[in-house]
């Protein structure tokens, strides 16, 4: 996602529904999943998961 922030390629509704963030500096990064899925996939960052990993 830029600036050293790591994101994961995930379906946009699944990302947002799980508290993910798809924008960085007002931009959304699209990505291509494996296979023939026609859903929209984006680079997804999940702050809660990052925070959980930092407290381990």
């Amino acid at each position: 996602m830029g600036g050293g922030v790591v994101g994961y390629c995930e379906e946009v509704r699944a990302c947002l529904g799980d508290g993910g963030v798809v924008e960085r500096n007002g931009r959304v990064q699209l990505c291509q999943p494996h296979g023939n899925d026609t859903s929209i996939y984006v680079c997804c960052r999940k702050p809660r998961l990052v925070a959980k990993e930092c407290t381990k």
Side-chain angles (χ1 to χ4, degrees), residues 7-13 15-16 21-22 28-32 40-45:
Y8 301 92
C9 188
E10 188 170 358
E11 196 275 329
V12 68
R13 287 175 290 183
C15 173
L16 295 173
V21 176
V22 298
V28 175
Q29 176 73 39
L30 298 177
C31 60
Q32 184 68 34
I40 297 173
Y41 281 74
V42 295
C43 184
C44 178
R45 180 175 59 98

Side-chain angles (χ1 to χ4, degrees), residues 46-56:
K46 297 198 175 173
R48 288 184 290 173
L49 294 180
V50 171
K52 184 177 180 180
E53 296 244 344
C54 288
T55 59
K56 286 184 179 178

